[in-house]
Amino acid sequence: MATGNKNNKSDKKAIRFPHELVADIESSVESEKADNPNASFSSWVLDACGRKLKAERRKAKVEAPEE
């Protein structure tokens, strides 16, 4: 049984965002809701994090010396 901040699929993490960034993200989410009614702040942040990680992996792959 899951309790607290962790379950089988995810962990909860609390972070602070600057007010301006929150406002910009919320505005983007509202625009996105026209195409995707399920858009949310959390899904937006998860998508942004996933894109950042993917870009870092691509960059590391390009910079890695070939053996």
Side-chain angles (χ1 to χ4, degrees):
M1 174 179 221
T3 59
N5 292 327
K6 191 172 188 173
N7 65 24
N8 292 348
K9 296 182 182 181
S10 64
D11 284 322
K12 280 187 190 176
K13 295 290 182 181
I15 68 169
R16 291 189 175 271
F17 291 89
H19 297 292
E20 299 81 14
L21 183 57
V22 169
D24 289 345
I25 293 170
E26 287 176 340
S27 176
S28 179
V29 170
E30 287 305 312
S31 297
E32 189 178 321
K33 283 188 177 186
D35 295 326
N36 177 9
N38 295 322
S40 68
F41 189 94
S42 292
S43 64
W44 194 99
V45 172
L46 290 170
D47 181 59
C49 292
R51 289 171 189 251
K52 174 74 174 184
L53 290 170
K54 187 175 182 180
E56 286 182 1
R57 287 186 200 114
R58 277 195 311 265
K59 183 179 177 184
K61 197 174 196 179
V62 168
E63 292 176 351
E66 294 192 27
E67 296 177 27

